[in-house]
Amino acid sequence: MNVKLPTIFFFSALMAATAYAQEYKLVWSDEFDDNTIGKNWNAEVVSVPSNNELQYYTDRPSNVKIEGGNLMLTARRESYGSRYFTSGRVNSSNKVSFTHGKIEARIKMPRLANGLWPAFWLMGEDITTAGWPACGEIDVMEAGHQTGIKNNTSERYFAGCIHWGKSIPEHQMYSSGAVTSTYDITGDYHLFTAVWDENMLKCYLDDAVVPYFQASIGKGTASGDYFHKPFHLLFNLAVGGDYPGIYSLAGITALPQEGSEAKMYVDYVRVYQKEGTANAVWGQNDRGGEAIPSALRPVHPAANVVSIFSDAYVPAGNGGFDTWGSPGEVLSVVYPSADDAVQKVANFLYAGYNFNADYSVIDLSAMHRLHADIYTDKAFSIGMTPVSKDPSGDYTKNREYVIRYPLQPGWNSLDAALADYTAGNPGIDLTQIHQMKWDGGDAASDIYIDNVYFYKTAGSGISGVQAGRAAARWYTLKGEQLSAAPQVAGLYICDGRKVVMNQLKK
């Protein structure tokens, strides 16, 4: 049975039993007693991970979830996209970050040999602007290395490490060497602790007083400029790749057959900082404290809608957003309000949405229009298209027709006639739509996507009646832009949609 100390009342006892207890006070923790994915954690979606890893990271509950007081990451042998394994990875970027402290995570790892690579680590919060390795990386614990596999000590062999450098060609790393524990660190819970200050980084296993890894990071050292700024947390369970030294399906004996699973459990993660130096930041939304307003809530009757991604409707499929290998992109779900989930695409270049996890199609032949809300910080042109599967099943022959739409800072309501897509490419079959696609980013900016759905139009062409908002863009039916929200009742165009305004001045 997994038993935890109560979150508040026993911290002093817990701290007394750990290294440097008297110097540190708890400033933040996640006990995983509630679902904090989206609040504290971004569940990543990565189709082509780094380090030649073999898994597809998804945000599906079958790979990432909080259950039974644990964050649970599940690696599975299954065909998904172009991969033969799936797994989970979470980060706290733009949700929880801090500089220096004592960081603890109580983790139960699965049997590792051969091919599993679990990790508990930290990354510089400025990764989206500085890039890697300039952001700095602290690997508190990673296990499953090929040396342990070779020596048949995988369940006892693990390491810590740091990475830094101005650019990838100038990448530097330091590890004081992996250690072989006297006991198995898999199959049960063990505590991994990093003590990080202005001069040193030290990592400990369980109640040890001697660190298994330490590095000098003080001023004047080669790494000193990279590790004294806010960092965020990460947990992941990789399959294969450079660390285990396994690059083939057959080599992953830890997941021997289709459907085999391995689970990594995180019982809690806690951040302590010294008295008078607390700087942990949490409880913000994904834009670091700058509020993202919610898009207007759709008003079309549910019976007339096939929804892909919107809190206003039940989704038609079980798929999700995908970067399709776009370099540097990171997907995460953010919450402008408690009941409004929005998809963030960081470093947007191009992105897509698979309607179903198995790439099966949805019949949209009864629908007339496509809707998507896009939030951006700057003006640019975005391409959008539904994607039709070729009858042969060859994904390289997918049928699409990209139409470009101008975006302005703020929420943009894209509302397009499906007939425009089929006219542009008569090969698009509305009975065989299985994906959405957006492109046109510069790989340095972020976008937010909400309310992606298809709908039938009413005979009048008026999709709904809703209140206006001063920040929206308003036009008369003649196309004349208004300087502010209408002050006279009537029919107008608001962000691409027809809107009836009533009870106004006449």
Side-chain angles (χ1 to χ4, degrees), residues 64 94 133 157 172 178-179 216 247 257 279 286-287 289 329 341 347 362 377 434 447 474 481 506:
V64 180
N94 291 316
Y157 193 85
Q172 299 182 65
V179 297
S216 296
Y247 307 100
Q257 59 192 19
N279 56 40
D286 189 68
R287 292 171 60 80
E329 284 189 348
N347 306 316
I362 294 177
D377 280 334
H434 69 120
I447 66 168
W474 292 91
Q481 186 169 7
K506 294 186 178 180

mmCIF file of all heavy atoms in Angstrom, residues 64 94 133 157 172 178-179 216 247 257 279 286-287 289 329 341 347 362 377 434 447 474 481 506:
data_model
loop_
_atom_site.group_PDB
_atom_site.id
_atom_site.type_symbol
_atom_site.label_atom_id
_atom_site.label_comp_id
_atom_site.label_asym_id
_atom_site.label_seq_id
_atom_site.Cartn_x
_atom_site.Cartn_y
_atom_site.Cartn_z
ATOM 1 N N VAL A 64 -0.488 8.791 -19.786
ATOM 2 C CA VAL A 64 -0.238 9.793 -18.740
ATOM 3 C C VAL A 64 -1.517 10.003 -17.951
ATOM 4 O O VAL A 64 -2.545 10.394 -18.513
ATOM 5 C CB VAL A 64 0.201 11.141 -19.338
ATOM 6 C CG1 VAL A 64 0.439 12.147 -18.224
ATOM 7 C CG2 VAL A 64 1.433 10.999 -20.195
ATOM 8 N N ASN A 94 6.188 26.873 -17.473
ATOM 9 C CA ASN A 94 5.207 27.954 -17.359
ATOM 10 C C ASN A 94 4.105 27.671 -16.349
ATOM 11 O O ASN A 94 3.103 28.380 -16.309
ATOM 12 C CB ASN A 94 4.583 28.269 -18.719
ATOM 13 C CG ASN A 94 5.565 28.898 -19.681
ATOM 14 O OD1 ASN A 94 6.319 29.784 -19.306
ATOM 15 N ND2 ASN A 94 5.578 28.423 -20.905
ATOM 16 N N PRO A 133 21.408 23.673 -25.610
ATOM 17 C CA PRO A 133 21.579 23.495 -24.160
ATOM 18 C C PRO A 133 21.770 24.799 -23.387
ATOM 19 O O PRO A 133 22.131 24.756 -22.212
ATOM 20 C CB PRO A 133 22.833 22.634 -24.093
ATOM 21 C CG PRO A 133 23.668 23.152 -25.241
ATOM 22 C CD PRO A 133 22.690 23.470 -26.343
ATOM 23 N N TYR A 157 21.788 0.329 -11.526
ATOM 24 C CA TYR A 157 22.710 1.252 -12.180
ATOM 25 C C TYR A 157 21.984 2.530 -12.586
ATOM 26 O O TYR A 157 20.996 2.484 -13.315
ATOM 27 C CB TYR A 157 23.297 0.555 -13.410
ATOM 28 C CG TYR A 157 24.503 1.235 -14.033
ATOM 29 C CD1 TYR A 157 25.787 0.992 -13.557
ATOM 30 C CD2 TYR A 157 24.347 2.090 -15.113
ATOM 31 C CE1 TYR A 157 26.895 1.582 -14.150
ATOM 32 C CE2 TYR A 157 25.448 2.694 -15.706
ATOM 33 C CZ TYR A 157 26.716 2.430 -15.224
ATOM 34 O OH TYR A 157 27.823 3.020 -15.818
ATOM 35 N N GLN A 172 28.185 21.053 -23.695
ATOM 36 C CA GLN A 172 29.048 20.409 -22.720
ATOM 37 C C GLN A 172 28.193 19.668 -21.699
ATOM 38 O O GLN A 172 27.046 20.034 -21.455
ATOM 39 C CB GLN A 172 29.916 21.446 -21.992
ATOM 40 C CG GLN A 172 30.847 22.226 -22.906
ATOM 41 C CD GLN A 172 31.719 23.194 -22.133
ATOM 42 O OE1 GLN A 172 32.559 22.790 -21.328
ATOM 43 N NE2 GLN A 172 31.503 24.490 -22.363
ATOM 44 N N ALA A 178 28.229 7.110 -13.361
ATOM 45 C CA ALA A 178 27.079 6.376 -12.851
ATOM 46 C C ALA A 178 27.490 5.542 -11.643
ATOM 47 O O ALA A 178 28.667 5.224 -11.449
ATOM 48 C CB ALA A 178 26.513 5.487 -13.948
ATOM 49 N N VAL A 179 26.500 5.216 -10.823
ATOM 50 C CA VAL A 179 26.763 4.405 -9.635
ATOM 51 C C VAL A 179 25.953 3.117 -9.707
ATOM 52 O O VAL A 179 24.910 3.055 -10.361
ATOM 53 C CB VAL A 179 26.402 5.169 -8.343
ATOM 54 C CG1 VAL A 179 27.264 6.403 -8.211
ATOM 55 C CG2 VAL A 179 24.930 5.542 -8.321
ATOM 56 N N SER A 216 30.269 21.131 -9.385
ATOM 57 C CA SER A 216 30.520 22.522 -9.022
ATOM 58 C C SER A 216 29.919 23.426 -10.087
ATOM 59 O O SER A 216 30.220 23.283 -11.279
ATOM 60 C CB SER A 216 32.030 22.782 -8.920
ATOM 61 O OG SER A 216 32.601 22.027 -7.881
ATOM 62 N N TYR A 247 18.117 0.362 -30.547
ATOM 63 C CA TYR A 247 17.454 1.116 -31.608
ATOM 64 C C TYR A 247 16.483 0.270 -32.426
ATOM 65 O O TYR A 247 15.967 0.733 -33.433
ATOM 66 C CB TYR A 247 18.509 1.717 -32.545
ATOM 67 C CG TYR A 247 19.559 2.519 -31.815
ATOM 68 C CD1 TYR A 247 20.803 1.977 -31.518
ATOM 69 C CD2 TYR A 247 19.290 3.815 -31.391
ATOM 70 C CE1 TYR A 247 21.762 2.709 -30.830
ATOM 71 C CE2 TYR A 247 20.235 4.559 -30.703
ATOM 72 C CZ TYR A 247 21.474 3.996 -30.419
ATOM 73 O OH TYR A 247 22.407 4.728 -29.739
ATOM 74 N N GLN A 257 6.084 -8.129 -26.032
ATOM 75 C CA GLN A 257 5.068 -8.458 -27.026
ATOM 76 C C GLN A 257 4.028 -7.342 -27.109
ATOM 77 O O GLN A 257 3.973 -6.464 -26.254
ATOM 78 C CB GLN A 257 4.387 -9.777 -26.673
ATOM 79 C CG GLN A 257 3.701 -9.771 -25.314
ATOM 80 C CD GLN A 257 3.290 -11.165 -24.856
ATOM 81 O OE1 GLN A 257 3.785 -12.160 -25.348
ATOM 82 N NE2 GLN A 257 2.374 -11.215 -23.903
ATOM 83 N N ASN A 279 11.528 31.476 -3.938
ATOM 84 C CA ASN A 279 11.208 32.143 -5.197
ATOM 85 C C ASN A 279 10.377 31.266 -6.132
ATOM 86 O O ASN A 279 10.224 31.587 -7.311
ATOM 87 C CB ASN A 279 12.487 32.585 -5.917
ATOM 88 C CG ASN A 279 13.444 31.421 -6.164
ATOM 89 O OD1 ASN A 279 13.026 30.319 -6.509
ATOM 90 N ND2 ASN A 279 14.732 31.657 -5.978
ATOM 91 N N ASP A 286 -0.600 29.439 -18.354
ATOM 92 C CA ASP A 286 0.523 29.027 -19.174
ATOM 93 C C ASP A 286 1.346 30.187 -19.711
ATOM 94 O O ASP A 286 2.448 30.003 -20.188
ATOM 95 C CB ASP A 286 0.018 28.172 -20.345
ATOM 96 C CG ASP A 286 1.147 27.522 -21.107
ATOM 97 O OD1 ASP A 286 1.806 26.644 -20.547
ATOM 98 O OD2 ASP A 286 1.385 27.926 -22.252
ATOM 99 N N ARG A 287 0.839 31.409 -19.663
ATOM 100 C CA ARG A 287 1.592 32.534 -20.197
ATOM 101 C C ARG A 287 2.299 33.304 -19.083
ATOM 102 O O ARG A 287 2.539 34.507 -19.189
ATOM 103 C CB ARG A 287 0.664 33.452 -20.991
ATOM 104 C CG ARG A 287 0.158 32.796 -22.264
ATOM 105 C CD ARG A 287 -0.922 33.600 -22.924
ATOM 106 N NE ARG A 287 -0.487 34.935 -23.309
ATOM 107 C CZ ARG A 287 0.219 35.211 -24.397
ATOM 108 N NH1 ARG A 287 0.585 34.232 -25.197
ATOM 109 N NH2 ARG A 287 0.552 36.440 -24.693
ATOM 110 N N GLY A 289 1.522 34.334 -16.105
ATOM 111 C CA GLY A 289 0.833 35.381 -15.384
ATOM 112 C C GLY A 289 0.049 36.315 -16.276
ATOM 113 O O GLY A 289 -0.796 37.060 -15.806
ATOM 114 N N GLU A 329 8.708 22.093 -31.684
ATOM 115 C CA GLU A 329 7.355 22.363 -31.202
ATOM 116 C C GLU A 329 7.056 21.553 -29.943
ATOM 117 O O GLU A 329 7.513 20.421 -29.789
ATOM 118 C CB GLU A 329 6.317 22.031 -32.275
ATOM 119 C CG GLU A 329 6.238 23.066 -33.364
ATOM 120 C CD GLU A 329 5.059 22.832 -34.302
ATOM 121 O OE1 GLU A 329 4.444 21.753 -34.252
ATOM 122 O OE2 GLU A 329 4.759 23.740 -35.077
ATOM 123 N N ALA A 341 -10.472 24.270 -21.654
ATOM 124 C CA ALA A 341 -9.171 23.735 -22.057
ATOM 125 C C ALA A 341 -8.816 24.257 -23.443
ATOM 126 O O ALA A 341 -9.631 24.225 -24.361
ATOM 127 C CB ALA A 341 -9.211 22.211 -22.064
ATOM 128 N N ASN A 347 6.304 27.318 -30.239
ATOM 129 C CA ASN A 347 7.229 27.315 -31.371
ATOM 130 C C ASN A 347 6.548 26.812 -32.633
ATOM 131 O O ASN A 347 7.085 25.992 -33.370
ATOM 132 C CB ASN A 347 8.464 26.468 -31.062
ATOM 133 C CG ASN A 347 9.143 26.879 -29.772
ATOM 134 O OD1 ASN A 347 9.314 28.060 -29.507
ATOM 135 N ND2 ASN A 347 9.486 25.902 -28.958
ATOM 136 N N ILE A 362 -13.830 10.234 -40.198
ATOM 137 C CA ILE A 362 -15.149 10.681 -39.758
ATOM 138 C C ILE A 362 -15.887 11.206 -40.982
ATOM 139 O O ILE A 362 -15.308 11.934 -41.803
ATOM 140 C CB ILE A 362 -15.038 11.774 -38.682
ATOM 141 C CG1 ILE A 362 -14.423 11.200 -37.400
ATOM 142 C CG2 ILE A 362 -16.389 12.393 -38.367
ATOM 143 C CD1 ILE A 362 -14.215 12.229 -36.301
ATOM 144 N N ASP A 377 -0.107 36.215 -30.573
ATOM 145 C CA ASP A 377 0.393 37.501 -30.075
ATOM 146 C C ASP A 377 0.738 38.478 -31.187
ATOM 147 O O ASP A 377 1.021 39.640 -30.920
ATOM 148 C CB ASP A 377 1.646 37.283 -29.219
ATOM 149 C CG ASP A 377 1.295 36.825 -27.816
ATOM 150 O OD1 ASP A 377 0.188 37.139 -27.358
ATOM 151 O OD2 ASP A 377 2.126 36.157 -27.187
ATOM 152 N N HIS A 434 -9.926 12.643 -41.888
ATOM 153 C CA HIS A 434 -9.333 12.020 -40.693
ATOM 154 C C HIS A 434 -8.343 12.914 -39.966
ATOM 155 O O HIS A 434 -7.869 12.564 -38.879
ATOM 156 C CB HIS A 434 -8.639 10.702 -41.060
ATOM 157 C CG HIS A 434 -7.398 10.863 -41.898
ATOM 158 N ND1 HIS A 434 -6.168 10.435 -41.481
ATOM 159 C CD2 HIS A 434 -7.218 11.408 -43.121
ATOM 160 C CE1 HIS A 434 -5.271 10.691 -42.423
ATOM 161 N NE2 HIS A 434 -5.880 11.280 -43.427
ATOM 162 N N ILE A 447 0.975 29.646 -30.661
ATOM 163 C CA ILE A 447 -0.439 29.860 -30.928
ATOM 164 C C ILE A 447 -1.249 29.005 -29.965
ATOM 165 O O ILE A 447 -0.733 28.065 -29.356
ATOM 166 C CB ILE A 447 -0.845 29.537 -32.386
ATOM 167 C CG1 ILE A 447 -0.696 28.022 -32.668
ATOM 168 C CG2 ILE A 447 -0.073 30.376 -33.384
ATOM 169 C CD1 ILE A 447 -1.355 27.598 -33.970
ATOM 170 N N TRP A 474 -15.479 44.234 -35.763
ATOM 171 C CA TRP A 474 -16.858 44.314 -36.241
ATOM 172 C C TRP A 474 -16.909 44.935 -37.645
ATOM 173 O O TRP A 474 -16.172 45.871 -37.950
ATOM 174 C CB TRP A 474 -17.693 45.182 -35.299
ATOM 175 C CG TRP A 474 -17.901 44.550 -33.951
ATOM 176 C CD1 TRP A 474 -17.121 44.696 -32.846
ATOM 177 C CD2 TRP A 474 -18.958 43.676 -33.595
ATOM 178 N NE1 TRP A 474 -17.630 43.958 -31.806
ATOM 179 C CE2 TRP A 474 -18.759 43.327 -32.236
ATOM 180 C CE3 TRP A 474 -20.061 43.146 -34.279
ATOM 181 C CZ2 TRP A 474 -19.613 42.469 -31.557
ATOM 182 C CZ3 TRP A 474 -20.920 42.300 -33.597
ATOM 183 C CH2 TRP A 474 -20.700 41.973 -32.253
ATOM 184 N N GLN A 481 -15.466 48.211 -41.805
ATOM 185 C CA GLN A 481 -15.063 47.932 -40.432
ATOM 186 C C GLN A 481 -15.490 49.054 -39.505
ATOM 187 O O GLN A 481 -15.346 50.242 -39.836
ATOM 188 C CB GLN A 481 -13.556 47.737 -40.323
ATOM 189 C CG GLN A 481 -13.123 47.306 -38.913
ATOM 190 C CD GLN A 481 -11.682 46.857 -38.855
ATOM 191 O OE1 GLN A 481 -10.948 46.984 -39.830
ATOM 192 N NE2 GLN A 481 -11.271 46.337 -37.717
ATOM 193 N N LYS A 506 -31.077 53.011 -30.607
ATOM 194 C CA LYS A 506 -31.678 53.133 -31.919
ATOM 195 C C LYS A 506 -31.722 54.605 -32.331
ATOM 196 O O LYS A 506 -31.727 55.476 -31.487
ATOM 197 C CB LYS A 506 -33.070 52.543 -31.924
ATOM 198 C CG LYS A 506 -33.081 51.022 -31.698
ATOM 199 C CD LYS A 506 -34.478 50.446 -31.848
ATOM 200 C CE LYS A 506 -34.479 48.953 -31.664
ATOM 201 N NZ LYS A 506 -35.816 48.361 -31.801
#
